[in-house]
Amino acid sequence: GSPVIEASARVVAVDGDRARVAVERQTACGSCAAKGGCGTRLISDWLPQRQLSFELDNQIGARPGDRVIVGLDESRMQRYALQLYAIPLAGLLLGAVGGHQFFAYQGWPAEPGSMLLGLLGVAAALHWVWRRGRRMKTRDSGIRLLGHTQSDSRPSLLPPATGSCDAYRGRG
């Protein structure tokens, strides 16, 4: 198969054959040569560290509190990144060029039309990406539980595990 991008996670709930896992978001700032000299570091310092949670098929028999490895096929990750970045950029450019042409054809100042339709184009593209992402939550995301990690005695930053996925969602 193709290469897999892996991350460690913690199982926070199990409900039948499904497990809810939480992955801590990380930046590469610690290993970057620029260290604190870039905008990514500043943004990550201003925004709170969030965790991502996924409900996955529990094919490995994981239990709440287990540390596991989750994986995503690298080619699927590239498709997701292309959708997230290229489609809004295309919406911006198409809207800006279309707005410029339309306003110039009408004899109006072209720059405001370019800006207006460029913003509308990027907004429409982001809305499309958002709707597609919501639909993907009900389908196969491609993220899989790959196995258990070695026992880790360090304290976790993740919330304590609960017994069921419903309790984790606030319905239990």
Side-chain angles (χ1 to χ4, degrees):
S2 63
V4 175
I5 298 170
E6 297 180 355
S8 63
R10 184 161 151 228
V11 178
V12 293
V14 174
D15 187 11
D17 63 345
R18 306 285 290 170
R20 180 163 291 275
V21 298
V23 179
E24 201 63 39
R25 280 191 183 170
Q26 299 173 352
T27 63
C29 294
S31 60
C32 177
K35 298 285 183 211
C38 76
T40 301
R41 177 63 184 255
L42 292 172
I43 291 171
S44 68
D45 287 345
W46 289 344
L47 299 176
Q49 187 89 10
R50 287 186 24 193
Q51 65 183 20
L52 301 170
S53 64
F54 304 96
E55 194 169 310
L56 306 172
D57 287 332
N58 188 3
Q59 300 172 340
I60 63 170
R63 296 179 307 215
D66 287 357
R67 299 207 46 88
V68 294
I69 300 291
V70 295
L72 175 65
D73 179 54
E74 191 174 286
S75 64
R76 194 176 282 209
M77 178 66 177
Q78 290 171 346
R79 281 195 314 263
Y80 291 161
L82 180 67
Q83 288 175 3
L84 185 63
Y85 292 106
I87 290 174
L89 180 60
L92 173 68
L93 293 175
L94 289 173
V97 169
H100 186 275
Q101 295 297 322
F102 177 75
F103 274 57
Y105 179 77
Q106 296 296 326
W108 302 331
E111 289 79 15
S114 183
M115 289 187 295
L116 177 65
L117 289 182
L119 288 174
L120 287 174
V122 76
L126 286 171
H127 181 72
W128 182 86
V129 168
W130 175 76
R131 285 181 51 97
R132 184 164 170 80
R134 288 184 50 94
R135 280 196 315 261
M136 284 175 39
K137 285 185 179 182
T138 61
R139 295 189 205 154
D140 178 26
S141 66
I143 301 171
R144 305 267 184 266
L145 280 175
L146 301 178
H148 289 83
T149 64
Q150 297 294 331
S151 178
D152 190 354
S153 60
R154 292 174 291 173
S156 174
L157 298 175
L158 300 174
T162 60
S164 81
C165 292
D166 287 335
Y168 183 76
R169 287 188 210 115
R171 290 186 264 164

